[in-house]
Amino acid sequence: MSAAFPPLFQEQVLLLVAKRTMLRAVARDMTTLVVGSSHGDFGFNPYFVPGSFNLCSRSQDLKHSYHLYRKLSEQNDSLSSVVIFYSIFSPGSVLERSPSEGEIAVALNELFDLGLAYENVQLSALHSAVAGKLGDMSVTLPGVAGFLPDYGKGFMPATITAERRAADHMRFNKRRDAIPYMEMMLDLASHKKHRVLIVVPPVRSDLRFHIGEGENPFESLTPYTGRDPTIQMLDLYHHGGFEDADFGDPDHLVPTGKGTELLSRSVEAALKAVH
């Protein structure tokens, strides 16, 4: 890829092409699509959930999760479940508005043919520059069904403290800009008769402390709790089984650690409970 493209964009294209290459190989056998941000990308290993595919990615918001699910559900008749990683920041995070991460939206859009357009001039220009040029790319990296434990898994630097991380997350938590896309995902799942599992990922104890024990950062999920037996929530934020040593930073599990196995096996068990 040309050096004229931003480094983050090039890095994410490489990783997303690797996921797409894997997806093309297993699409016919995929029964469970897993979407969401880096918490799912780091923490969910499809090895423990046969038939699943990890299409989570860095900074993936509910908008792009919805459009990935929409596109893949159109292409895969075998799909029967969708797992949505729902992080503290998910209610208000809109990827294309991020000054530092927005270009990832263009990579997702082009590589998975989502058909999205942008109001942002820079993102529109980037999209025009790569349109139609990434379809033949293929990258093979070691991993399992979209899970690439050794690639793109850098942790937050120590200067990003748990206190700062909590403040950043809660800033988006108070907004509801992305909630319509959650509604759209659930409506689509209902139409397709797919099971839905909403996963609230675990965090390190110091991040929970700075969020505040009296805070309920997942209040925005209340309307979906008990709404339909085909929609279930797996709350790992309050799960007592994760240790601080399982995390590489305040909110990302070590991909090769036992915390990832615990998360993945918990997803497997929860999916069996969804009717």
Side-chain angles (χ1 to χ4, degrees):
M1 184 172 288
S2 169
F5 294 112
L8 175 61
F9 180 76
Q10 295 191 62
E11 171 198 280
Q12 291 302 303
V13 164
L14 172 69
L15 297 170
L16 290 168
V17 168
K19 284 182 179 265
R20 187 181 69 178
T21 302
M22 286 180 165
L23 181 62
R24 287 173 172 173
V26 303
R28 291 184 178 180
D29 300 318
M30 179 180 67
T31 56
T32 299
L33 177 65
V34 183
V35 292
S37 72
S38 56
H39 297 137
D41 188 40
F42 279 60
F44 177 73
N45 186 347
Y47 172 81
F48 298 104
V49 186
S52 66
F53 191 92
N54 186 336
L55 202 53
C56 300
S57 58
R58 175 170 168 171
S59 297
Q60 188 183 124
D61 59 354
L62 291 173
K63 176 178 179 177
H64 287 82
S65 293
Y66 161 70
H67 284 288
L68 288 168
Y69 172 43
R70 172 187 58 80
K71 191 71 178 183
L72 270 296
S73 68
E74 291 171 357
Q75 298 173 345
N76 295 272
D77 291 337
S78 60
L79 194 64
S80 60
S81 304
V82 59
V83 174
I84 305 165
F85 272 81
Y86 191 96
S87 303
I88 295 171
F89 53 77
S90 292
S93 174
V94 179
L95 178 55
E96 63 203 70
R97 297 179 191 169
S98 170
S100 60
E101 307 279 287
E103 60 212 48
I104 300 174
V106 177
L108 285 165
N109 187 17
E110 181 62 23
L111 287 169
F112 294 97
D113 192 24
L114 303 182
L116 305 178
Y118 305 100
E119 295 180 1
N120 181 285
V121 174
Q122 286 80 15
L123 295 186
S124 292
L126 179 59
H127 189 218
S128 296
V130 299
K133 298 177 182 177
L134 305 179
D136 295 330
M137 286 185 67
S138 179
V139 173
T140 301
L141 295 175
V144 179
F147 181 57
L148 308 170
D150 301 316
Y151 296 89
K153 299 299 184 290
F155 296 112
M156 296 287 170
T159 53
I160 308 295
T161 64
E163 184 176 11
R164 176 177 168 184
R165 193 74 168 151
D168 289 343
H169 281 3
M170 291 305 289
R171 180 163 50 92
F172 289 105
N173 183 266
K174 302 303 182 184
R175 303 175 185 173
R176 294 293 181 266
D177 303 25
I179 291 298
Y181 294 101
M182 172 60 90
E183 294 282 357
M184 292 164 72
M185 270 193 281
L186 297 181
D187 286 346
L188 178 58
S190 176
H191 175 72
K192 296 281 187 177
K193 294 181 169 53
H194 290 168
R195 299 179 300 170
V196 178
L197 180 65
I198 302 169
V199 178
V200 171
V203 302
R204 210 168 61 191
S205 63
D206 54 350
L207 182 57
R208 256 196 333 272
F209 172 80
H210 287 292
I211 293 294
E213 294 299 330
E215 287 282 345
N216 177 15
F218 302 102
E219 184 181 359
S220 54
L221 287 174
T222 302
Y224 316 123
T225 304
R227 160 172 147 175
D228 188 312
T230 63
I231 302 170
Q232 296 292 333
M233 186 175 81
L234 175 61
D235 181 2
L236 300 179
Y237 181 84
H238 296 99
H239 192 291
F242 294 91
E243 301 175 358
D244 284 353
D246 296 330
F247 295 86
D249 62 29
D251 53 308
H252 290 99
L253 289 167
V254 176
T256 54
K258 62 185 181 68
T260 293
E261 179 175 349
L262 174 57
L263 183 150
S264 305
R265 290 191 182 279
S266 297
V267 168
E268 180 194 33
L271 277 171
K272 291 179 178 178
V274 183
H275 299 291

